Amino acid sequence: MAQKPSIPKGTRDFGPLQMARRNYIFNTIRHTFEKFGYMPLETPSMENLSVLTGKYGDEGDQLLFKILNSGDFLKKTSEADYREGSKQLLPLIAEKGLRYDLTVPFARYVVMNQNDITFPFKRYQIQPVWRADRPQRGRYREFYQCDADVIGTDSLICEAEIVLMITEVFEKLNLKDYIIKINNRKVLTGITEVIGAAGREADFCVAIDKLDKIGHEGVFKELGEKGFSGEAIEKLQPLLALQEAGDSSLDALQQLLESSTTGLKGVKELQAVFELLKAFGAQPKLELDLTLARGLSYYTGAIFEVKPTSVQMGSISGGGRYDDLTGVFGLPGMSGVGFSFGVDRVYDVLEELNLFPEESTVSTQAMLVNFGEKTLSEGLQLLGKLRAAGIRAEIYPEEAKMKKQLAYANKKNIPYVILQGEEEIAKGEITLKNMMSGQQENVNIPAAIQQILS
RNA sequence: GUGAUUGUAGUUCAGUUGGUUAGAACGCCUGAUUGUGGUUCAGGAGGUCGCCGGUUCGAGUCCGGUCUUUCACCCCA
C-alpha cells in the first residue's frame, strides 16, 4: 500500500539550493561571532522538562514539545491520574522535551560546568529549536537560532558589541533595510513606577509593545481592561509623546523618570551604550524605542530587537540582558547578555529582496562523459588529476547516451564537460566543451585544468 | 489554544446550477540526432480531485469530521 508521505506541520525540507543559501547565512554569522571572541557550544536537542518548564511563562510551557517516555509510558500512571487531567498526567508520561530556545540550555550548561568555565564566558550556538506554535508567515515549528551570549560580566561593552555584530552580519549579507531597536527593562520598570502602577510591569509591557500596531487608543484601552487607573494612563501621555520625538529623547526621558531610581539607572545604561558605540566609531542603524518590551520575562537590562523595514516580517534578531538566569539552577548573581539571529526569517527576507549572491551555490566544475569500459581507466585517471588540482569534478556514473549525459551536466549547471573517448585517447588529448558558449576544443590535460581553473 | 482560509498531474493553476471519458502551461520520458546539452519539431507517460464519512439516481463541485496551507488573535525568531 503506497501512501503519500508528508512532513509534520511547520517543518520543512531544505534542498541543495536552499542549503547553499542557508550555509551562506550560517557562515557569515559564525565568522562574525568568532571575530568577536565567542566560542562554539552545542547542547542536546532534548532537555529534561524540569530544565525547560517555568522559564518561558505559562504561554511558553504550552508551546513546548514534550517527548513521550520510551517503553510503556503508561507504566507509572493510574486511572486516578488520568481523571486528574493532562496537567497531572504529563510529568508521569513525559520527562523530556525539545529545546524551546538556546539561552536556557546555555544557562543549564554554565551551571553544570561552572568549575571548568573561565568567566566571562562567551559562547555562540547555532542549532534548531522547536515550538508547538501555529505556523504562519515567518513562523515555523522547527527553526534555527544563532545565539551569542556572554555570561559573568555586567559590562555594557557587551551590549555595544552586540549592536556591532548585528551591524556587521547584515552588512555582509548586503541587507540594508533594517532597524535595530533598543530599550531597557529598567526604563520600563521606571515608567510603571512613575505612573503609579509599580509591580504591573508584565501587563504594561504586553500592552505597550503593541503601540505601533493598535495605536495610542488601543494601548490605553488594553491597559484599562487590565485594571490600570485612568490616572496612570493619563500620566503615560507625555512618555508616548516622547516616543514619537525619536532618538534624541534620552535627556527628556531622564527628566520624566526623575522620581524612579530604577528608571534612571536604565537611562544611564542606555546612554552608556550609545557612548560606547560612538567610541567604537560605529554608526549603527540603532534607535531607542520605548515601546519595545519583548516577552521573555528573564530580561532585566538592555533589550534589543531587529526589524526589517521593507519586508513585512517579524523580528529577525533579538536579545537582551538577564541578571539572574542561572539563579533557578542554583548559581545566583551571574549577569549575562546575549542575542539571537532567526536564520529562517533572515532567509525569507533575503529571498524576498533578491539579495542572495549567485555564487552561493557551489556545483561541480567539470564533468567527464562516460564512454564505457574501454576508456574507463583513462577517465578515472583524469578524474583523479582534476580533483588533485582542486577542481570539483565528477564522471557520469553510467555509460549512457551522450545526450543524456550532457543534459545532466546542463541541468546541474556544470560549466565544463570533458570528452575523452577512444578518438581522443589515440591522439593523446581531450575535448573540453564549454557549456555556456557551446564551443569545444581539443587540448592536452594541463591546458584543460588551467582553462577550468581560470 | 481561539476564529477564518486553502487543498485538482512533478510544479503553477483552469474546471459552468451537481451530469457521461477531469483540462492547460511548464516540467518529465521517447524519437528526429548510434560522439554533443541549452533552441525547434513529432509523439508519450503521469490524477484513489488531501483523507474519512454523509446527502443524491449521480459529487472535483453540496454537508460533517480530520489532516495540511495561508491569515488574524495570543505569543514569538
Side-chain angles (χ1 to χ4, degrees):
Chain A
M1 275 300 226
Q3 52 167 317
K4 278 185 189 167
S6 62
I7 55 174
K9 187 198 281 219
T11 65
R12 296 146 304 152
D13 290 320
F14 302 110
L17 175 68
Q18 289 160 303
M19 278 312 297
R21 291 173 164 185
R22 285 170 70 82
N23 284 335
Y24 160 71
I25 300 173
F26 285 133
N27 292 339
T28 304
I29 292 172
R30 183 178 299 117
H31 186 250
T32 300
F33 284 167
E34 287 177 352
K35 207 202 275 189
F36 279 75
Y38 289 78
M39 307 287 282
L41 174 75
E42 287 203 7
T43 62
S45 304
M46 57 184 112
E47 293 275 352
N48 289 324
L49 276 177
S50 56
V51 168
L52 299 175
T53 43
K55 310 299 185 299
Y56 311 105
D58 288 344
E59 296 275 355
D61 286 354
Q62 274 194 329
L63 298 180
L64 285 173
F65 275 107
K66 290 101 183 171
I67 297 173
L68 213 49
N69 290 341
S70 332
D72 180 7
F73 54 85
L74 287 178
K75 205 159 51 186
K76 294 177 186 165
T77 65
S78 66
E79 272 186 57
D81 295 323
Y82 181 82
R83 264 181 250 117
E84 289 286 327
S86 43
K87 241 189 176 161
Q88 292 291 319
L89 197 62
L90 179 68
L92 301 173
I93 59 172
E95 291 165 353
K96 300 175 290 298
L98 294 175
R99 73 167 101 76
Y100 178 92
D101 70 0
L102 301 177
T103 311
V104 167
F106 169 56
R108 192 222 79 224
Y109 171 86
V110 168
V111 173
M112 286 180 67
N113 297 275
Q114 49 185 292
N115 294 321
D116 307 320
I117 291 175
T118 310
F119 293 100
F121 180 50
K122 301 171 91 173
R123 83 88 175 78
Y124 74 86
Q125 192 169 349
I126 299 178
Q127 288 189 276
V129 304
W130 294 268
R131 295 183 187 176
D133 212 348
R134 211 174 267 205
Q136 258 179 64
R137 176 187 172 82
R139 182 181 276 193
Y140 307 99
R141 287 186 145 181
E142 177 182 62
F143 61 97
Y144 268 74
Q145 288 193 331
C146 304
D147 269 42
D149 287 77
V150 47
I151 196 161
T153 173
D154 54 13
S155 166
L156 294 170
I157 294 175
C158 304
E159 271 86 338
E161 287 197 331
I162 285 176
V163 175
L164 294 183
M165 285 190 279
I166 292 172
T167 304
E168 177 168 319
V169 164
F170 288 138
E171 191 180 311
K172 279 199 191 138
L173 294 178
N174 217 6
L175 176 66
K176 296 185 175 71
D177 307 343
Y178 71 93
I179 180 87
I180 307 172
K181 295 185 170 187
I182 187 171
N183 196 8
N184 194 296
R185 266 290 161 85
K186 296 189 180 84
V187 167
L188 290 166
T189 306
I191 292 174
T192 56
E193 285 174 10
V194 167
I195 66 169
R200 303 292 313 280
E201 202 187 322
D203 282 339
F204 177 74
C205 285
V206 170
I208 194 88
D209 196 45
K210 295 179 194 160
L211 182 68
D212 61 333
K213 212 171 187 176
I214 58 179
H216 285 49
E217 271 155 44
V219 172
F220 292 160
K221 194 179 155 208
E222 183 161 336
L223 285 173
E225 281 166 7
K226 291 205 169 136
F228 283 72
S229 68
E231 197 187 346
I233 292 170
E234 191 61 36
K235 281 186 181 164
L236 203 53
Q237 293 275 17
L239 280 154
L240 290 188
L242 210 56
Q243 168 62 27
E244 278 164 356
D247 205 341
S248 58
S249 54
L250 262 178
D251 290 338
L253 182 64
Q254 189 167 7
Q255 285 183 4
L256 283 164
L257 292 178
E258 223 165 17
S259 61
S260 161
T261 25
T262 308
L264 286 180
K265 208 174 164 203
V267 175
K268 274 224 178 83
E269 288 180 10
L270 283 168
Q271 274 165 344
V273 172
F274 278 104
E275 264 157 41
L276 284 167
L277 284 167
K278 213 175 275 172
F280 268 117
Q283 289 187 308
K285 298 176 196 277
L286 181 65
E287 178 184 286
L288 173 67
D289 184 348
L290 294 175
T291 68
L292 175 63
R294 291 185 61 77
L296 291 171
S297 48
Y298 48 68
Y299 290 127
T300 53
I303 43 186
F304 304 97
E305 197 155 285
V306 182
K307 288 201 125 179
T309 49
S310 58
V311 177
Q312 216 209 328
M313 178 70 69
S315 62
I316 50 178
S317 176
R321 176 169 290 277
Y322 37 86
D323 280 335
D324 198 29
L325 190 65
T326 56
V328 285
F329 298 128
L331 182 61
M334 190 64 90
S335 186
V337 61
F339 76 114
S340 177
F341 288 103
V343 175
D344 305 80
R345 285 186 178 177
V346 171
Y347 183 104
D348 290 346
V349 169
L350 293 187
E351 181 166 59
E352 193 157 334
L353 296 177
N354 246 316
L355 291 178
F356 283 111
E358 297 265 322
E359 321 84 71
S360 62
T361 337
V362 269
S363 179
T364 307
Q365 292 167 287
M367 187 197 84
L368 268 64
V369 170
N370 189 329
F371 284 101
E373 249 174 75
K374 279 187 198 161
T375 61
L376 188 60
S377 76
E378 277 90 349
L380 295 184
Q381 231 169 45
L382 174 55
L383 186 58
K385 281 182 192 161
L386 293 173
R387 288 176 180 158
I391 294 168
R392 296 187 296 273
E394 62 183 299
I395 184 166
Y396 194 87
E398 298 166 20
E399 182 189 358
K401 282 182 185 165
M402 178 157 330
K403 183 180 162 134
K404 194 172 180 185
Q405 300 194 37
L406 285 175
Y408 169 85
N410 188 52
K411 257 176 244 159
K412 230 179 139 177
N413 259 317
I414 298 174
Y416 288 100
V417 166
I418 291 170
L419 291 83
Q420 189 189 31
E422 285 176 80
E423 294 169 27
E424 284 89 353
I425 290 169
K427 286 189 204 155
E429 59 185 21
I430 62 168
T431 301
L432 181 65
K433 181 176 171 78
N434 181 326
M435 292 296 280
M436 288 286 269
S437 63
Q439 288 177 346
Q440 59 189 52
E441 51 184 338
N442 294 331
V443 293
N444 61 24
I445 291 172
I449 288 175
Q450 202 172 15
Q451 174 82 36
I452 294 166
L453 285 174
S454 67

